[in-house]
Amino acid sequence: MDVRRRPPMRSVRQSSTTSAGEPPVKHLKPSDALPLPLYLTNGIFFALFFSVAYFLLHRWREKIRTSTPLHVLTLSEIAAIVSMLASVIYLLGFFGVDFVQSLVTRPSGDVWDAEDEPHGAILEEDSRPGPCAAAIDCCPPPKVADVAPVTVFSSEEEEEMIRSVVAGSVPSYLLESKLGDCKRAAAIRREALQRTTGRSLAGLPLDGFDYEAILGQCCEMPVGYVQIPVGIAGPLLLDGREYWVPMATTEGCLVASTNRGCKAIFTCGGASSMVLRDRMTRAPVVRFPTASRAADLKLFVEDPINFDTLAVVFNRSSRFARLQGIHCAIAGKNLYMRFGCSTGDAMGMNMVSKGVQNVLDFLQTDFPDMDVIGISGNFCSDKKPAAVNWIEGRGKSVVCEAIIGDEVVRKVLKTSVAALVELNMLKNLTGSAVAGALGGFNAHASNIVSAVYIATGQDPAQNVESSHCITMMEAVNDGKDLHISVTMPSIEVGTVGGGTQLASQSACLNLLGVKGASKESPGSNSRLLATIVAGSVLAGELSLMSAIAAGQLVKSHLKYNRSSRDVSKIAS
């Protein structure tokens, strides 16, 4: 793309002189061919139109009164009809041409510029005579290059702002507050980034997104948004209800595989789930002069007599936060206090942090030598694989199970109950133990968790602990049927706050029937979402394990997870 700004062209209605010094070419208008002045010609045809219209209406009224057929015409009536047609053709032609010209010219000056044309088309003066002297450059647009083109913004204010951001005199993060328009700020930041790096962001979309919705809560300094396709698996029959599960992913076969598992579960009467625990955690770390003083605080906060007082202090932070317990651990003179609380329909990280801060401020009075090192000491533990989450749980602890009949295993899953039980023992249990897995006693739980999390506006980084899962398979009913279950101790989800309020993610939550907070039973929407995640994982585990047992994994991925496009041509 030619990024040089071309000088504005002369009006296509004005006479111009060619670069070779040729005489100016007069661009004719349709009215120039008329023998009379324009206003007189228009007046004649307007008068003709209305006069013959009045004459015909008068004649037709007389015919109706005298019961004369309307199609019987006199010579004067035929002449009137012809005159009306002629006037209509003239008026339509005159005003129609003028209207078309108004579409291809600017009403304020008839000057075209490179920035006014889509795809960079520019009016060029041509050496051809007549009306073709102002021709449009119809060459196809060049391919998008890796080098960023310099876009010239229409507003001098915007151009100046871009130059200021590039120079560093205006911080990029202040654009929203300075401009008062989040989309303009994103566009200016994007252009400044391209000019600074010399790299194009042409493939990253900017339009079609509500940047106001993320201001101050979801993403800072945006320059666009990333598109991820959303597929639907289902219906997932869980606890007697059907759910169509949205999954945002770029991995082929994932949605199809989960969908097959949903089909198998549906055919056998569905799955059932139970929420075992609902507790978000935060663990500050505090330091004392001696280990004995740290032990004193540990005994104090774990004493049931003091718990009620601490719970009242903690619960002041929110209408929904309710302290459930405090678990302490000592490392020398450092004390880690793991607070656990229910958080309603929110995922609850900010909620529990506020409650913890209230308790720390309260304890400072009785323990003035306590030094608060950090509101989070990693004993929580957030966004990291940790045994404490695997054992104690974090967020929602859910178990989900189903019984799959032998016929469905053979016809839908293309394998056998015995093969699935053996594979699960050697792969998910023994193999994971050999690998020293921490919470990873499953086939691919994180695949489904990540896809559902992205689609429903959850924190994708919490996939780490939310994917803790142990998959169990056992032959039941004299070995004819398969009992499968997934136990997931730390599913961290919410239906309010964060990315759940964005339009796309909100739509996916609405599809599941868990959008927003439950007014009747606070926390029920987030618990239901956790069970849907576990049920989807159950379907995904069942299908993938069956594909491996039947030897179909490689074949299906080669068929559905490999692009047929010529990568060399795409790269060029």
Side-chain angles (χ1 to χ4, degrees):
M1 176 178 179
D2 189 359
V3 300
R4 295 172 296 175
R5 184 176 178 87
R6 304 193 182 192
M9 305 306 300
R10 285 183 292 272
S11 170
V12 296
R13 294 187 179 182
Q14 298 173 352
S15 60
S16 59
T17 305
T18 63
S19 58
E22 297 176 358
V25 177
K26 177 67 175 180
H27 297 285
L28 300 178
K29 295 177 288 186
S31 59
D32 293 340
L34 298 176
L36 297 175
L38 182 60
Y39 71 91
L40 185 57
T41 306
N42 287 343
I44 291 174
F45 277 96
F46 269 113
L48 181 63
F49 174 82
F50 287 110
S51 61
V52 297
Y54 175 80
F55 172 78
L56 289 174
L57 290 174
H58 179 73
R59 291 292 300 159
W60 289 340
R61 181 181 179 186
E62 290 295 328
K63 287 185 177 183
I64 293 173
R65 285 180 177 179
T66 59
S67 300
T68 304
L70 296 178
H71 64 276
V72 177
L73 301 176
T74 64
L75 185 61
S76 60
E77 291 171 346
I78 294 175
I81 292 174
V82 173
S83 300
M84 173 173 276
L85 291 176
S87 61
V88 168
I89 292 172
Y90 168 82
L91 294 175
L92 286 178
F94 179 85
F95 290 103
V97 171
D98 190 73
F99 174 75
V100 171
Q101 286 187 340
S102 68
L103 293 179
V104 297
T105 57
R106 295 295 183 264
S108 60
D110 297 329
V111 178
W112 289 54
D113 200 1
E115 286 73 38
D116 298 328
E117 267 296 286
H119 310 301
I122 301 173
L123 285 179
E124 299 273 4
E125 290 183 331
D126 198 353
S127 58
R128 293 173 291 179
C132 294
I136 296 178
D137 183 5
C138 294
C139 296
K143 294 181 179 180
V144 177
D146 290 334
V147 179
V150 178
T151 303
V152 181
F153 280 69
S154 58
S155 170
E156 286 297 328
E157 177 190 1
E158 291 178 344
E159 277 293 331
E160 181 61 30
M161 186 65 70
I162 293 172
R163 288 192 289 266
S164 299
V165 173
V166 172
S169 56
V170 174
S172 177
Y173 61 85
L174 291 180
L175 287 176
E176 281 78 7
S177 60
K178 282 184 173 294
L179 297 174
D181 186 332
C182 293
K183 183 177 180 181
R184 283 183 65 206
I188 289 174
R189 181 182 296 112
R190 177 193 184 102
E191 181 61 26
L193 179 63
Q194 291 186 126
R195 295 185 187 184
T196 301
T197 62
R199 294 290 180 180
S200 173
L201 291 176
L204 184 69
L206 176 68
D207 297 327
F209 188 82
D210 184 7
Y211 293 94
E212 300 282 349
I214 65 173
L215 181 63
Q217 54 187 359
C218 289
C219 180
E220 297 76 40
M221 298 187 290
V223 294
Y225 60 97
V226 174
Q227 297 166 309
I228 301 178
V230 177
I232 294 294
L236 171 66
L237 183 56
L238 179 66
D239 298 323
R241 295 175 59 185
E242 295 181 12
Y243 301 95
W244 296 91
V245 184
M247 302 175 65
T249 182
T250 57
E251 179 182 350
C253 289
L254 179 59
V255 178
S257 177
T258 307
N259 190 66
R260 184 176 75 148
C262 290
K263 178 182 178 181
I265 294 172
F266 187 94
T267 306
C268 295
S272 59
S273 64
M274 289 72 65
V275 178
L276 308 175
R277 187 185 295 111
D278 184 1
R279 175 185 296 183
M280 181 50 65
T281 63
R282 175 61 84 198
V285 53
V286 298
R287 182 171 57 196
F288 287 90
T290 63
S292 61
R293 285 293 291 162
D296 290 341
L297 180 56
K298 178 182 185 299
L299 297 175
F300 179 85
V301 299
E302 291 183 343
D303 190 341
I305 299 176
N306 300 321
F307 178 80
D308 290 341
T309 302
L310 296 178
V312 171
V313 175
F314 183 98
N315 296 345
R316 291 174 187 167
S317 62
S318 170
R319 292 181 298 147
F320 304 104
R322 295 295 178 265
L323 184 64
Q324 296 178 351
I326 306 175
H327 178 201
C328 296
I330 287 182
K333 58 181 182 177
N334 304 299
L335 177 66
Y336 298 81
M337 296 178 286
R338 192 172 191 258
F339 291 76
C341 78
S342 60
T343 57
D345 283 307
M347 186 270 290
M349 287 294 300
N350 293 332
M351 192 182 298
V352 67
S353 297
K354 289 167 60 179
V356 168
Q357 188 62 56
N358 288 348
V359 173
L360 292 177
D361 294 340
F362 175 79
L363 293 174
Q364 199 79 60
T365 303
D366 293 331
F367 295 87
D369 54 343
M370 178 180 69
D371 183 14
V372 179
I373 303 301
I375 191 68
S376 175
N378 273 7
F379 188 40
C380 312
S381 174
D382 185 41
K383 302 174 184 176
K384 291 166 284 292
V388 68
N389 291 336
W390 177 241
I391 298 171
E392 298 291 337
R394 189 170 193 255
K396 279 71 174 172
S397 300
V398 182
V399 59
C400 187
E401 64 179 348
I403 295 179
I404 311 300
D406 176 66
E407 184 177 2
V408 173
V409 172
R410 287 185 291 104
K411 293 184 177 180
V412 177
L413 302 177
K414 311 299 182 183
T415 183
S416 66
V417 172
L420 282 173
V421 172
E422 182 180 29
L423 176 64
N424 186 72
M425 180 189 66
L426 293 178
K427 170 182 168 62
N428 289 341
L429 304 182
T430 307
S432 297
V434 170
L438 180 58
F441 298 92
N442 57 81
H444 70 149
S446 63
N447 248 339
I448 291 88
V449 172
S450 295
V452 177
Y453 270 28
I454 294 172
T456 58
Q458 311 304 312
D459 188 341
Q462 290 186 322
N463 163 71
V464 176
E465 61 268 37
S466 296
S467 295
H468 283 341
C469 172
I470 181 169
T471 301
M472 303 290 292
M473 294 185 184
E474 180 183 353
V476 295
N477 300 330
D478 297 328
K480 295 181 180 179
D481 302 327
L482 174 73
H483 179 276
I484 178 173
S485 67
V486 292
T487 305
M488 306 178 70
S490 50
I491 300 179
E492 299 165 342
V493 292
T495 58
V496 296
T500 63
Q501 65 182 7
L502 299 180
S504 301
Q505 290 82 344
S506 180
C508 291
L509 288 172
N510 187 57
L511 175 66
L512 294 171
V514 296
K515 178 181 176 181
S518 173
K519 297 180 180 179
E520 295 78 13
S521 177
S524 61
N525 278 355
S526 62
R527 288 191 291 271
L528 178 56
L529 178 58
T531 62
I532 293 173
V533 171
S536 303
V537 169
L538 182 73
E541 290 287 284
L542 179 62
S543 183
L544 177 60
M545 291 294 288
S546 299
I548 296 175
Q552 298 173 339
L553 179 65
V554 175
K555 181 181 178 181
S556 62
H557 273 269
L558 288 176
K559 182 177 180 181
Y560 297 108
N561 199 24
R562 289 294 180 269
S563 174
S564 60
R565 300 173 66 185
D566 190 340
V567 180
S568 62
K569 292 182 179 179
I570 299 174
S572 62

